[in-house]
Amino acid sequence: MEKDAFQFLANQAIQAAGKAVAVDEDKTHTFLVGEDTREFIPQNIPDELQVSSLRSIVDFVLNSSDLGKKGQVLIEICSPREVRVEGLLDQWGRRARYMVAEPENEEFHFHNWYDREELNIALQSQFVPNDDQATLLKFIGNYQESTDQTATDDGITQVAAVRTGAASVGNVKVPNPVTLMPYRTFPEVKQSESQFVFRMHEGMKGALFEADGGAWRNDAIQTIKKYFGEELTPLISRKQVVVIG
């Protein structure tokens, strides 16, 4: 059988650009014959477009007449911060990738210690305002370290000295856990709300630690999927566009 296969290739070989080329019996695959015989695969996959918003994907899919000629379009939500637009598999098992979207908003670094000023700025610029965000801002704005304050910490609750008036200082419990909405995905969709553990450290430093086991990621992906479902309803209903995530 191997001999017959090689004989077939020899019989089909032709000279093209100085190389031997062979076509299989079904005329569906082309091979470059030589010391390293391999299937010929044309380098015709276009470079992907890099964008930073979901709106760009919607506009691209709605206004690109060329996409319809290429068959079904796949929108793959890889993560809360990456969405790809791809075509169907070709005969070589390749999938053309037309566009990749990644948001440009700066992410808050959880598990890192911030000094009071840095944390104050980050809470205002990288989180959606809500009640717990306001409580944290008020707390760290009035927080004072006291050399004669005995630290109280049972692993869950910390006690800190804060200003309670123009000059007076009182002991209060650090708010914990807190429910916040950091900007962690694309700005066009609602940010996921989840719980965080807030801890203080010597030197007027504070940190936030994620406490939802990563559940926010699934929530964000479903929110992005819903966004495309609303914006591309006709194309999805006709199965011209498939959204997965």
Side-chain angles (χ1 to χ4, degrees):
M1 184 177 294
E2 290 182 356
K3 182 178 179 180
D4 292 340
F6 281 115
Q7 185 62 47
F8 166 75
L9 291 176
N11 292 338
Q12 295 293 318
I14 61 173
Q15 292 297 320
K19 294 184 179 180
V21 178
V23 181
D24 68 358
E25 190 173 4
D26 296 329
K27 296 183 179 182
T28 57
H29 297 276
T30 301
F31 297 87
L32 298 178
V33 180
E35 294 182 358
D36 58 341
T37 300
R38 65 189 186 278
E39 184 176 5
F40 171 71
I41 300 177
Q43 302 299 316
N44 59 350
I45 296 292
D47 291 335
E48 65 207 30
L49 297 173
Q50 299 285 337
V51 297
S52 59
S53 68
L54 300 179
R55 186 70 241 176
S56 296
I57 289 179
V58 171
D59 291 341
F60 176 72
V61 172
L62 289 177
N63 298 303
S64 180
S65 58
D66 188 48
L67 286 183
K69 301 175 184 176
K70 298 180 183 298
Q72 199 173 62
V73 175
L74 174 68
I75 298 178
E76 180 183 7
I77 307 169
C78 303
S79 75
R81 297 185 65 84
E82 182 182 0
V83 178
R84 301 173 182 174
V85 181
E86 300 175 329
L88 296 176
L89 291 174
D90 64 14
Q91 67 186 90
W92 296 282
R94 302 177 305 175
R95 193 185 296 278
R97 186 176 300 165
Y98 307 118
M99 181 175 283
V100 176
E102 296 177 314
E104 294 181 343
N105 55 292
E106 184 181 354
E107 288 188 276
F108 182 86
H109 298 292
F110 297 101
H111 306 266
N112 284 10
W113 295 98
Y114 288 77
D115 66 33
R116 183 165 68 172
E117 282 302 309
E118 290 176 329
L119 187 56
N120 185 295
I121 293 171
L123 280 170
Q124 294 186 71
S125 62
Q126 296 172 252
F127 289 77
V128 178
N130 68 359
D131 291 342
D132 279 6
Q133 181 238 27
T135 299
L136 268 185
L137 284 171
K138 183 176 181 180
F139 179 86
I140 63 176
N142 292 313
Y143 171 60
Q144 291 183 335
E145 279 197 329
S146 175
T147 56
D148 59 357
Q149 172 67 42
T150 301
T152 303
D153 184 358
D154 61 6
I156 298 176
T157 303
Q158 291 177 298
V159 172
V162 300
R163 290 193 300 270
T164 57
S168 62
V169 175
N171 294 333
V172 300
K173 291 183 178 180
V174 177
N176 191 34
V178 289
T179 301
L180 300 170
M181 298 174 66
Y183 291 107
R184 294 180 286 189
T185 187
F186 294 87
E188 294 98 327
V189 299
K190 181 181 178 181
Q191 302 301 304
S192 299
E193 186 177 75
S194 51
Q195 288 195 323
F196 300 87
V197 174
F198 174 62
R199 300 288 291 174
M200 297 185 310
H201 197 272
E202 293 179 1
M204 307 279 282
K205 293 183 177 180
L208 288 167
F209 299 85
E210 294 178 282
D212 71 342
W216 75 270
R217 292 179 177 83
N218 293 331
D219 180 64
I221 287 173
Q222 292 306 310
T223 301
I224 294 172
K225 190 172 183 179
K226 180 180 178 182
Y227 172 84
F228 286 125
E230 295 172 349
E231 296 291 333
L232 301 172
T233 301
L235 296 178
I236 292 174
S237 63
R238 293 197 297 267
K239 300 188 184 303
Q240 290 177 274
V241 172
V242 176
V243 182
I244 63 172

